Amino acid sequence: SISRNFTREGMDPLYPRIDWRGTGPGYAEMELPLYPWTIAVVYEAFGMHDEAGRIISLLLSLGALALFWFLARDILEPNAAIAAFALFAFNPLIFEISTAVQPEGLTMLAYLGAAYFFARWMRTERLLNLFTAAAFTSLSILAKATSAHIGLLFAILWFRKEGVAAFKNWRVYAFASIALIPGVLWYIHAKSLWLMYGNSLGVSNEYHWIGFDFFTNSYFILGILSNEVLWVWGGIGVIVALVGIVLARREKAVSFSLVWLASVFVFLIVAARTTADDWANYYHVFAVAPASLLIGVGAGKGVEMFGDLKAKFTT
């Protein structure tokens, strides 16, 4: 409906309009509407076809798959990378968003691009990789503010790399500016639409955040964990990942993945009033990449052990 309203009432992406507007113009608080605006561009060029949004989501998801493969290939052994990619590609949440008419496809493309190029910068120290990661981070936050938690991953890795000297590094402040300022400006503008017109797509009109009852009501932590085990890890994946963590605990890929997963869990816990609900399983899509990397490590170690045993018995 937002895409349709762009085509009917003007293509200014700064003013997304909803249908349920009452007597007002329908301007609504939401993430930067780049995804529905792109659908509107397709409507303008080829006519209004419902499948346009799904095709765009599919293309974005193919890009996300490619970026995850590049990341897995760079930081894992070949067998582990193949296993991690297969698990990522066929994860039910990734499968779901691959054609969903939602901004998660764009979010995951940018989110994985940020992780991939930051990991490359950690190895190469090329500024192009660092600032490409910053640009992808900015796009990810603009597409979905919830992806801002990836900044915790970057902060921990950077502090590990440089220690307190990082606070004197101009690159830190340049990276943070590129990553955060566009999102801050957009959400200030989006908030003004809420204050003026009273329309919001789940930002100011809902309360998502942790409260004291998190510590007294098991619903929240059990809800988060059940969503994780069912939709992210597929049950048995937890065991495979634990095998990988134990056997390869000193490998950088394991450390990288664990810190990434921890940053995701910080978000899931902070927003527990939403992320614990069954319907909110797609918020857990952020955990799929680090979980797949860890499961891939475990699967790779399993293949190695099987190969060693086979060679031993053959000999």
Side-chain angles (χ1 to χ4, degrees), residues 69-200:
W69 167 247
F70 296 150
L71 174 62
R73 181 196 60 187
D74 279 3
I75 69 174
L76 299 180
E77 296 296 325
N79 287 333
I82 292 171
F85 177 74
L87 291 161
F88 180 85
F90 290 102
N91 178 274
L93 292 179
I94 297 298
F95 201 79
E96 180 181 344
I97 69 171
S98 65
T99 56
V101 186
Q102 293 183 188
E104 272 69 22
L106 174 60
T107 304
M108 287 303 292
L109 174 72
Y111 183 79
L112 292 169
Y116 168 63
F117 282 102
F118 194 88
R120 285 187 65 85
W121 172 75
M122 292 286 292
R123 293 193 308 278
T124 66
E125 296 193 358
R126 292 186 59 193
L127 282 181
L128 178 61
N129 289 326
L130 179 65
F131 292 125
T132 302
F136 270 118
T137 304
S138 179
L139 177 59
S140 182
I141 293 171
L142 287 167
K144 205 78 173 178
T146 49
S147 61
H149 66 265
I150 199 171
L152 183 58
L153 167 66
F154 298 156
I156 293 172
L157 293 179
W158 208 323
F159 187 78
R160 281 184 175 180
K161 181 180 175 65
E162 298 183 2
V164 294
F167 295 103
K168 300 178 182 180
N169 189 334
W170 67 269
R171 295 174 180 83
V172 172
Y173 301 99
F175 182 93
S177 297
I178 295 170
L180 297 176
I181 288 176
V184 170
L185 293 176
W186 168 256
Y187 288 107
I188 289 174
H189 168 69
K191 182 74 170 184
S192 71
L193 297 179
W194 157 255
L195 294 173
M196 187 170 296
Y197 301 103
N199 302 314
S200 179

Side-chain angles (χ1 to χ4, degrees), residues 64 67-68 71-72 75 88 107-119 140 147-154 156-157 160 228 233 252-268 285-294:
L67 285 167
F68 181 80
L71 174 62
I75 69 174
F88 180 85
T107 304
M108 287 303 292
L109 174 72
Y111 183 79
L112 292 169
Y116 168 63
F117 282 102
F118 194 88
S140 182
S147 61
H149 66 265
I150 199 171
L152 183 58
L153 167 66
F154 298 156
I156 293 172
L157 293 179
R160 281 184 175 180
E228 282 289 304
W233 298 86
K252 290 184 178 179
V254 171
S255 176
F256 177 85
S257 303
L258 286 174
V259 174
W260 190 353
L261 190 63
S263 72
V264 175
F265 264 85
V266 169
F267 154 66
L268 294 175
V285 72
F286 295 117
V288 175
S292 296
L293 292 174
L294 289 171

Side-chain angles (χ1 to χ4, degrees), residues 16-96:
R17 297 175 177 88
I18 57 172
D19 283 349
W20 53 98
R21 62 181 66 180
T23 58
Y27 299 135
E29 177 190 47
M30 62 179 295
E31 64 273 358
L32 181 69
L34 181 58
Y35 173 70
W37 185 84
T38 303
I39 296 174
V41 171
V42 175
Y43 284 172
E44 289 282 289
F46 301 104
M48 199 170 294
H49 302 286
D50 288 343
E51 60 268 26
R54 297 190 183 277
I55 293 171
I56 292 170
S57 291
L58 177 61
L59 295 174
L60 292 169
S61 294
L62 290 175
L65 287 177
L67 285 167
F68 181 80
W69 167 247
F70 296 150
L71 174 62
R73 181 196 60 187
D74 279 3
I75 69 174
L76 299 180
E77 296 296 325
N79 287 333
I82 292 171
F85 177 74
L87 291 161
F88 180 85
F90 290 102
N91 178 274
L93 292 179
I94 297 298
F95 201 79
E96 180 181 344

Side-chain angles (χ1 to χ4, degrees), residues 207-227 265 268-277 284:
Y207 191 78
H208 307 275
W209 315 117
I210 187 175
F212 182 76
D213 54 344
F214 179 86
F215 303 98
T216 60
N217 187 344
S218 61
Y219 170 81
F220 298 106
I221 191 65
L222 290 178
I224 290 171
L225 291 177
S226 64
N227 274 327
F265 264 85
L268 294 175
I269 291 171
V270 169
R273 211 166 296 280
T274 293
T275 58
D277 294 337
H284 294 255

